[in-house]
Amino acid sequence: MADPQADPAAQPELMDEDEPFFSNLDLFLFSLIAGLIVYWLIFRKKAEPIPEFKKLESTPQTTRETSFIDKMKKTGKNIVVFYGSQTGTAEEFANRLAKDAHRYGMKGMSADPEEYDLSELSRLTEIENSIAIFCMATYGEGDPTDNAQDFYDWLHEGDADFSGVKYTVFALGNKTYEHYNAMGKYVDQRLAELGAQRIFDLGMGDDDGNLEEDFVSWREQFWPAVCEHFGVEATGEESSIRQYELKVHSDLNMNKIYTGELGRLKSFENQKPPFDSKNPFLAPVTVNRKLNKAGDRHLMHLELDITGSKIRYESGDHVAVYPINDSVIVNRIGDLLGVDLDTVISLNNLDEESNKKHPFPCPTTYRTALTHYLDITNPPRTNVLYELAQYATEPKDQENMRKMASSSAEGKALYQSWVLDSCRNILAILEDFPSLRPPIDHLCELLPRLQARYYSIASSSKVHPNSIHICAVVVEYKTKTGRVNKGVATNWLKNKMPADNGHKATVPMYIRKSQFRLPFKSSNPVIMIGPGTGIAPFMGFVQERGWLKEQGRKTLLSTVLYYGCRYKNEDFLYQEELEEFEKTGVLTALNVAFSRDQAEKVYVQHLLKKNKEAVWRLVHMDNAHIYICGDARYMARDVQNAFYEIAEELGGMSRAQAVDYIKKLMTKGRYSQDVWS
C-alpha cells in the first residue's frame, strides 16, 4: 500500500476558503447523534453487577516452581542432577546419582531441564557445597534430546557467568554414530567456557559396548572425588532407601484408575488432539501383511489410519508406538511373587516437593503397571540387582547379586556374562534366584519405564495423507539359557490384525519429526541406500517422487535406490511396488544386492563400488543427496568407507581429503543417515 505521507497525489485537496465549515445536513446529523446519546444515558438498562467469585485454591500445576535453586534451598538439597533423556536411560542414571548423595552426607534431586529455568545456574553458588551434574544423552546425528533442546539453545546463544559453579557431566551415546556423545561433550565444554569449575572428568557412556559398566566405573570414581573436593567422608550407609511409599486402595471409583493412559486419565476413551508423547492417538490398524515370501523370519507391513486426528507427517519422519508387555510374562511375575495383580495401588513420592509424584500414572493396578508402564523384558541394571539383593533369603544369591552390582572386575564380568550375554530379564532372574522374592511394590519402583518404539515411516503423506505405514521385522531369539526372548513391540504389532467383527485393533502412536528429508529442489538427484527394513523411509521417498512426477514437477532422471536382502525369492521386500516404480521411470535405477544368492556375499556397498562412475558423477557433478537407512554398526560404516574409496579413486583424493569431502556433504545436508544399532 502507498504511504500517503510520501505521495502528494494521495493528499486530500485543500478546501475553498468561502465554503462554510458545516452544512445544514451536518448540523442535523450532529443533533440526532447528541439526542441519542442523551436518551441512552438516561434510559439505558443498568449494567448487571459483576458477581464476585471466590479465588480458587491454586493447584500444584499452576504453582509449579521453575526455580530449582529455591526448591533446593527449601528442601536442603545441595546436588542437582539434570538429565537430557530420549529413552529414559539418562533419567534413570540421574535418579541413581541423586539417590547416591545420601551416602556422602549430601542431599540430591534429579531434574528435567525442560521444567526449570536454567539461567538460574549461576545462583548455585548461593548453596554451600553444591554441584550440578548433567547426564546428557545424544540423539540422532549429534542432536540434543527433546527435553534438552531449550537448554542447548540457551547455552549456545547465552553468555552467562558461571564463576564458582561446580559441575560434572556424564554423556550417553553410541560409538557407531558419527557424532559420538556430541551433546555431553558440548555441555561439558560450554559450561567451562562460561566460567564453571569442572570437579570431575567428563564421563563417556557407550551403548554399543556396555553403557551400564561405563556409568558404574565413572560413578565409582566420581563420588570419592566429590568427597575429596568438599572434605567430606562417606557415611557408610549402604542400605536401600525407598523413594516411594505404597498405598493400597480398597474402595476407589474405577473411573479414577489408570488403565494404560500416558497422561490424562481416560484419554484413550475420550481422544482429543493435539497428539504427542503424553497423549498418543489410538490409530486403527487397517493392513497387517507379511512381506517376505519364505524363510524363518517374519517381516511385516502395517498401515495405521490417522483419519480425523489432525496428525501431519512428512516422508522421513518417525512414528512412535507404545507397545504393551506379554501377558504371559506379567502373569508369571505375579505367580512367583504371590500377589493379586488386580490390587489397586499408588506409589507416592516420599519427597513431597518433587515434581515427580509417582513413578508411573497412579492410581493403577499392579497388572496395568507391569503391562503398560514398566520395562520387564530388558536385562535389569546393576542398581536394581543391588537393591533387590536384600530380599534374597539364600546368602549365596544375595552375595552374587551384590557382586554383580559392584565395580570389581569380577563383579563386572559376572554381570556381563550372567545378565547381559545371557539376556536375562527380571522374570529370568526371579526364576534363577529362587530365594529372591521381593515385595512387588519395591520391584515396580525400581524397574525403568517401558519406552515408545520408533519406526521410520514407510509412506508419503502426499500419497497417503490419512495413513502411516510401518515396515518391521519381528524380533525373536533363543538365549544362552534356552529361553525364547521376544521383541516387545514387534511381537505385539504382529498380532494387531484388522478385525472383522467390528472391533478395531488400535495402536497408541504419535509422530516424531526428523531431519531426514528429500531435497527442497525436486530436480536434485537422490541416492538411497537401505538394506532390509532400512527400505522403510525410501518407500515414502519414492512415493513422493512419483507424486511430484504426476504433478508435472521438473524431476531429473535420478532417483536411485540401492537395496539389499538375503534371497531374491525369500525377502525381497516390496518387490512388486519397486519394480513398478522402475518400470514407470519413477525409480531411474533399482540396484538390489542379494547377499546369499551366491557363494560370495554381495552387499549394497559392493554395488556402490561396482557403479562407482555413475555414483561419483551424481554426487560430484550433479549435486546428488545421499540417504542411508539401516544398521549403524556395520552397514552404515561400510557404505561410508565405500564413498571414501570412490572419492579417492575418482576424485584423486587422499583418504584424509575423502573423509573431509564426505563430512562437508554431511554439513551441507547432502549426506543423511537414519540408522540404529
Side-chain angles (χ1 to χ4, degrees):
M1 185 187 288
D3 179 0
Q5 294 180 13
D7 181 6
Q11 297 288 350
E13 290 180 16
L14 293 173
M15 284 189 218
D16 191 303
E17 286 182 11
D18 296 329
E19 193 175 320
F21 198 75
F22 290 118
S23 68
N24 289 336
L25 180 61
D26 290 334
L27 290 169
F28 171 75
L29 287 171
F30 281 144
S31 303
L32 182 63
I33 291 165
L36 287 169
I37 289 169
V38 169
Y39 177 85
W40 180 78
L41 286 169
I42 295 169
F43 297 104
R44 77 184 191 282
K45 185 181 176 183
K46 275 193 174 177
E48 290 181 11
I50 298 169
E52 282 189 22
F53 292 101
K54 281 186 180 177
K55 193 173 179 182
L56 292 171
E57 290 294 319
S58 295
T59 62
Q61 284 79 5
T62 57
T63 60
R64 183 172 63 77
E65 284 184 35
T66 59
S67 170
F68 67 91
I69 297 294
D70 291 349
K71 180 169 278 194
M72 288 174 76
K73 286 179 176 179
K74 190 190 294 184
T75 55
K77 306 275 189 356
N78 59 341
I79 291 178
V80 59
V81 194
F82 290 105
Y83 56 85
S85 191
Q86 197 73 28
T87 62
T89 308
E91 181 180 0
E92 196 184 323
F93 285 179
N95 287 332
R96 286 163 68 176
L97 288 167
K99 221 172 174 185
D100 279 343
H102 83 278
R103 293 177 185 154
Y104 303 92
M106 299 178 171
K107 287 185 79 176
M109 64 177 265
S110 66
D112 184 341
E114 207 168 29
E115 293 186 352
Y116 293 100
D117 179 2
L118 267 293
S119 66
E120 285 210 328
L121 204 54
S122 55
R123 287 183 59 207
L124 195 61
T125 53
E126 297 172 16
I127 298 171
E128 194 179 353
N129 287 1
S130 58
I131 318 168
I133 306 171
F134 295 85
C135 289
M136 307 307 290
T138 299
Y139 160 63
E141 295 301 300
D143 301 316
T145 56
D146 292 345
N147 76 313
Q149 182 66 56
D150 290 344
F151 173 49
Y152 171 82
D153 293 341
W154 177 76
L155 270 183
H156 194 66
E157 295 155 12
D159 55 353
D161 180 6
F162 291 151
S163 301
V165 173
K166 297 173 174 66
Y167 80 96
T168 191
V169 179
F170 183 80
L172 297 85
N174 189 308
K175 259 188 183 154
T176 57
Y177 288 79
E178 179 76 19
H179 304 281
Y180 173 52
N181 273 334
M183 183 59 180
K185 289 175 184 172
Y186 178 75
V187 171
D188 180 60
Q189 173 197 329
R190 188 72 182 124
L191 289 173
E193 287 172 357
L194 295 171
Q197 181 187 355
R198 183 190 296 110
I199 63 163
F200 191 65
D201 295 339
L202 168 69
M204 298 280 273
D206 178 18
D207 200 30
D208 187 48
N210 184 334
L211 187 59
E212 175 70 14
E213 185 177 316
D214 294 337
F215 175 68
V216 168
S217 299
W218 178 85
R219 171 176 161 252
E220 290 294 327
Q221 296 170 61
F222 165 68
W223 285 114
V226 170
C227 291
E228 188 180 341
H229 185 86
F230 292 122
V232 297
E233 288 184 14
T235 60
E237 289 180 39
E238 292 294 315
S239 61
S240 165
I241 288 188
R242 290 294 298 267
Q243 193 178 347
Y244 299 93
E245 66 177 349
L246 172 67
K247 179 174 174 56
V248 177
H249 304 281
S250 54
D251 55 354
L252 203 61
N253 185 322
M254 292 306 287
N255 287 325
K256 302 270 177 72
I257 298 167
Y258 282 88
T259 56
E261 307 95 321
L262 280 303
R264 180 173 53 86
L265 191 67
K266 301 294 175 189
S267 61
F268 286 163
E269 290 175 24
N270 182 18
Q271 293 252 280
K272 293 177 185 173
F275 297 103
D276 55 26
S277 59
K278 297 281 167 56
N279 181 37
F281 175 65
L282 288 180
V285 177
T286 54
V287 174
N288 185 346
R289 62 185 170 94
K290 189 177 180 181
L291 283 171
N292 51 318
K293 301 179 181 73
D296 298 332
R297 298 184 305 159
H298 183 103
L299 295 118
M300 57 186 172
H301 171 88
L302 279 91
E303 297 183 14
L304 307 179
D305 185 4
I306 55 169
T307 304
S309 67
K310 297 185 178 174
I311 288 173
R312 299 286 176 265
Y313 74 95
E314 298 293 329
S315 303
D317 283 343
H318 298 114
V319 57
V321 305
Y322 281 105
I324 63 171
N325 288 312
D326 188 341
S327 60
V328 173
I329 301 176
V330 172
N331 289 333
R332 178 75 176 134
I333 290 172
D335 291 343
L336 284 177
L337 299 183
V339 295
D340 176 4
L341 291 177
D342 295 312
T343 305
V344 179
I345 57 111
S346 287
L347 285 179
N348 301 322
N349 202 321
L350 289 162
D351 179 0
E352 292 181 0
E353 295 296 328
S354 174
N355 283 0
K356 191 173 183 180
K357 301 301 179 191
H358 316 284
F360 43 76
C362 290
T364 189
T365 64
Y366 286 125
R367 185 183 306 283
T368 299
L370 291 169
T371 304
H372 292 271
Y373 300 137
L374 297 171
D375 184 345
I376 59 175
T377 56
N378 273 318
R381 299 198 186 277
T382 57
N383 66 304
V384 177
L385 299 180
Y386 177 83
E387 296 222 22
L388 292 181
Q390 62 184 305
Y391 301 113
T393 54
E394 198 61 54
K396 191 69 180 167
D397 290 352
Q398 199 170 113
E399 182 192 336
N400 278 326
M401 290 180 76
R402 290 227 163 96
K403 187 187 288 178
M404 285 189 283
S406 76
S407 57
S408 70
E410 187 188 358
K412 286 177 182 176
L414 184 60
Y415 176 74
Q416 180 68 47
S417 62
W418 199 82
V419 177
L420 297 182
D421 295 345
S422 302
C423 304
R424 277 185 170 90
N425 57 28
I426 192 63
L427 173 58
I429 284 166
L430 291 171
E431 287 175 340
D432 293 346
F433 282 140
S435 83
L436 175 65
R437 294 296 177 260
I440 192 169
D441 61 292
H442 198 176
L443 181 67
C444 288
E445 174 180 321
L446 292 170
L447 289 173
R449 285 289 296 268
L450 182 61
Q451 299 293 327
R453 273 34 177 195
Y454 299 99
Y455 298 96
S456 301
I457 296 176
S459 54
S460 164
S461 58
K462 300 285 193 299
V463 182
H464 301 283
N466 293 314
S467 181
I468 285 173
H469 300 181
I470 294 174
C471 169
V473 58
V474 176
V475 177
E476 189 171 320
Y477 58 94
K478 189 171 261 193
T479 72
K480 288 181 178 178
T481 65
R483 295 177 171 93
V484 174
N485 278 9
K486 295 180 177 182
V488 177
T490 53
N491 280 276
W492 172 73
L493 286 171
K494 178 186 174 184
N495 296 314
K496 288 278 179 183
M497 290 298 185
D500 301 323
N501 58 5
H503 178 72
K504 292 177 181 176
T506 58
V507 171
M509 52 73 67
Y510 67 96
I511 298 297
R512 186 172 72 180
K513 292 294 174 187
S514 165
Q515 300 301 314
F516 203 66
R517 289 278 184 268
L518 278 169
F520 181 71
K521 288 183 181 176
S522 59
S523 56
N524 279 119
V526 297
I527 301 172
M528 304 169 289
I529 303 148
T533 55
I535 187 70
F538 303 136
M539 291 305 295
F541 280 13
V542 176
Q543 286 173 16
E544 190 141 327
R545 299 283 271 195
W547 180 85
L548 288 167
K549 195 174 181 189
E550 282 176 12
Q551 305 306 305
R553 293 276 287 276
K554 181 190 171 190
T555 308
L556 289 178
L557 298 176
S558 49
T559 304
V560 178
L561 175 64
Y562 284 85
Y563 173 63
C565 59
R566 296 178 182 182
Y567 304 99
K568 183 174 183 178
N569 296 325
E570 187 174 295
D571 55 356
F572 186 172
L573 307 186
Y574 300 109
Q575 180 179 354
E576 292 78 12
E577 292 98 314
L578 291 172
E579 287 176 346
E580 182 62 26
F581 279 128
E582 186 184 33
K583 187 177 166 187
T584 57
V586 173
L587 265 178
T588 45
L590 173 60
N591 306 284
V592 189
F594 304 108
S595 62
R596 302 184 187 183
D597 269 345
Q598 59 285 309
E600 196 173 327
K601 287 185 178 173
V602 176
Y603 296 116
V604 283
Q605 63 266 25
H606 299 132
L607 296 189
L608 281 167
K609 285 189 274 190
K610 182 183 171 187
N611 300 335
K612 59 191 174 188
E613 286 85 3
V615 169
W616 182 245
R617 187 174 61 252
L618 283 171
V619 173
H620 195 62
M621 305 294 292
D622 298 339
N623 206 34
H625 287 233
I626 301 161
Y627 299 91
I628 298 156
C629 183
D631 165 57
R633 190 175 297 165
Y634 302 112
M635 183 278 299
R637 185 194 60 204
D638 293 340
V639 165
Q640 202 160 316
N641 283 329
F643 277 108
Y644 292 157
E645 288 172 28
I646 292 170
E648 284 177 88
E649 187 181 340
L650 299 177
M653 302 178 192
S654 65
R655 174 50 68 110
Q657 288 171 324
V659 169
D660 188 53
Y661 181 85
I662 297 300
K663 279 197 172 166
K664 279 179 180 162
L665 290 183
M666 290 176 178
T667 306
K668 291 174 182 173
R670 283 184 50 208
Y671 191 108
S672 305
Q673 299 185 93
D674 180 4
V675 293
W676 56 85
S677 63

